[in-house]
Amino acid sequence: MFEAAEHLRAEFAQLESALADPDVHIDLARARRVGRRYAELSPIVQAYQEWQQTSEDEEAARELSREDSSFADEADQLAKHREELEAQLQKLLVPRDPNDGRDIILEVKAGEGGEESALFAGDLLRMYQRYAERRGWKTEILDSTVTGLGGIKDATVVVKGRGADGAWSRLKYEGGVHRVQRVPVTESQGRIHTSAAGVLVAPEAEPVEVQINDNDLKVDVFRSSGPGGQSVNTTDSAVRITHLPTGIVVSCQNEKSQLQNKEQALRVLRARLLAQAEAEADAKASAERRSQVRTVDRSERVRTYNFPENRISDHRVGYRAYNLDQVIDGNLDGVIDALAAADLEAKLVGAGDDEPAS
């Protein structure tokens, strides 16, 4: 572990020198890359240097305690702090997900359950929008289909939140089937119904990262429709794109022009192609252990929202809390923290398994 930290400290020193070099700042893209990497390594190097200093102070206190017992307590306190720093360093040295600083494209789709499922999908969409507001992120609706009672048949939204704790770092755990248990507004007998909605999450891809050949696309245009299927404009502005090699289909109808809808649909397609490529790479890399909670198939039921009991349960990590009213209002940090902790624990176990036997 500390050999890796020493290598990173050497890299940090090189980056520090580069940032002091005026020539580096002539190339703005390079300067941003250097600055970003410098910021990533700063907490690791700081913790490593503090660990080194604490270890030296502890050793000195142990030597002094042989002649003066009053130094023994100080040595014990230093040892405790050293162990805390070692645990902190171990977590900091776990390789970060390279997509953690990215914006995301999040899709919510109503499942089985009719209008109640669409209403629940609308609740999920608002939950994510409010969570983004709490974190100071921005959201942009790319496409949505609203039902007669104000539910969401499907919606696609960009969540813009970059940085070390960006949108992907927090919301990548949300993919899967979300189940709701409550009395629907359409239920006259007061019976509790169960329905579900699906959530898909992908890091947004830059155009240069995912090259799309126009010959691989089938583009269809049609008229946008509103609640109940009625036409909402008189021109064929809505766009449906089929990526022939993969069979991925995306559509967009929110914008007024066909060109704008096509651009929005291509954003979603690029994100899906990037996510698919990364999933295939993970599957092939047998030596690389994947997180227990990072990759979630859409068919997997991941969470239950029980309104009568005000209970939220995440089935992947056994999380349960009785603050559903707060969660559905965007206070998602409790459940996301539990998922992130399980993810980190799985990575630490994997890193430990990879260490050679002594």
Side-chain angles (χ1 to χ4, degrees):
M1 176 175 71
F2 301 115
E3 182 180 350
E6 190 61 46
H7 287 311
L8 292 177
R9 183 166 71 168
E11 181 187 352
F12 184 79
Q14 293 174 347
L15 293 168
E16 202 165 35
S17 298
L19 287 172
D21 183 355
D23 291 339
V24 171
H25 295 275
I26 295 174
D27 184 344
L28 294 180
R30 182 188 175 195
R32 281 195 296 268
R33 287 196 303 271
V34 172
R36 192 160 50 240
R37 181 61 173 164
Y38 181 85
E40 288 175 0
L41 294 185
S42 290
I44 300 174
V45 172
Q46 182 179 349
Y48 179 54
Q49 290 175 336
E50 187 177 354
W51 172 82
Q52 283 186 314
Q53 185 62 56
T54 302
S55 298
E56 291 173 5
D57 292 346
E58 179 194 353
E59 185 177 352
R62 293 287 181 207
E63 290 181 3
L64 290 170
S65 68
R66 297 189 185 101
E67 298 177 1
D68 185 344
S69 59
S70 63
F71 284 98
D73 287 342
E74 182 181 348
D76 290 341
Q77 290 297 320
L78 289 166
K80 182 179 178 181
H81 185 46
R82 172 180 53 77
E83 290 170 359
E84 292 171 350
L85 289 168
E86 287 173 0
Q88 180 186 351
L89 261 175
Q90 189 177 28
K91 292 179 180 178
L92 287 171
L93 288 170
V94 171
R96 289 185 65 89
D97 183 333
N99 291 324
D100 274 354
R102 288 183 186 261
D103 298 338
I104 66 164
I105 290 182
L106 184 145
E107 300 176 63
V108 180
K109 298 178 181 292
E112 296 180 1
E115 188 65 43
E116 164 61 4
S117 177
L119 289 169
F120 176 52
D123 290 339
L124 289 178
L125 177 61
R126 284 186 291 275
M127 177 182 76
Y128 293 126
Q129 289 174 313
R130 288 169 182 165
Y131 181 66
E133 288 176 12
R134 287 171 180 263
R135 298 191 71 87
W137 299 340
K138 296 184 182 299
T139 57
E140 174 190 355
I141 299 283
L142 296 185
D143 191 46
S144 64
T145 304
V146 181
T147 63
L149 291 180
I152 295 290
K153 183 179 179 182
D154 55 69
T156 303
V157 58
V158 175
V159 182
K160 301 178 180 180
R162 298 196 170 229
D165 293 318
W168 175 257
S169 74
R170 300 295 290 170
L171 293 176
K172 62 186 173 184
Y173 308 107
E174 293 303 298
V177 172
H178 295 238
R179 185 178 68 168
V180 63
Q181 295 172 326
R182 66 183 177 187
V183 179
V185 294
T186 55
E187 169 60 51
S188 60
Q189 303 297 320
R191 293 172 298 185
I192 295 174
H193 286 227
T194 298
S195 59
V199 176
L200 302 173
V201 188
E204 182 165 20
E206 301 292 341
V208 294
E209 293 178 295
V210 178
Q211 299 294 328
I212 300 176
N213 189 330
D214 287 343
N215 294 328
D216 290 336
L217 301 179
K218 179 188 176 187
V219 181
D220 299 307
V221 295
F222 55 97
R223 292 185 181 179
S224 301
S225 60
Q230 70 266 30
S231 175
V232 294
N233 69 37
T234 57
T235 61
D236 292 337
S237 61
V239 173
R240 181 186 301 109
I241 297 178
T242 304
H243 187 248
L244 299 174
T246 61
I248 294 174
V249 180
V250 295
S251 61
C252 187
Q253 63 176 5
N254 272 32
E255 303 296 338
K256 292 182 179 179
S257 81
Q258 187 182 121
L259 181 61
Q260 289 175 313
N261 280 322
K262 183 179 179 182
E263 286 302 314
Q264 301 290 46
L266 284 172
R267 289 176 71 181
V268 180
L269 178 59
R270 280 193 292 267
R272 288 204 197 170
L273 288 172
L274 177 64
Q276 183 181 74
E278 292 185 340
E280 290 173 354
D282 283 347
K284 291 177 182 177
S286 57
E288 181 182 342
R289 290 169 175 82
R290 292 189 293 165
S291 163
Q292 296 173 0
V293 296
R294 262 197 61 196
T295 305
V296 181
D297 186 273
R298 189 184 181 281
S299 63
E300 181 186 348
R301 185 190 71 189
V302 296
R303 193 175 297 156
T304 295
Y305 303 72
N306 186 305
F307 278 76
E309 297 180 13
N310 198 34
R311 169 171 52 83
I312 181 166
S313 305
D314 195 286
H315 309 294
R316 293 164 291 182
V317 294
Y319 176 88
R320 177 177 292 188
Y322 292 86
N323 64 337
L324 176 56
D325 54 337
Q326 297 174 36
V327 172
I328 211 71
D329 193 43
N331 186 10
L332 272 167
D333 278 328
V335 62
I336 290 177
D337 286 344
L339 290 160
D343 193 5
L344 177 61
E345 184 63 28
K347 289 176 180 176
L348 289 172
V349 171
D353 290 345
D354 287 338
E355 290 180 2
S358 57

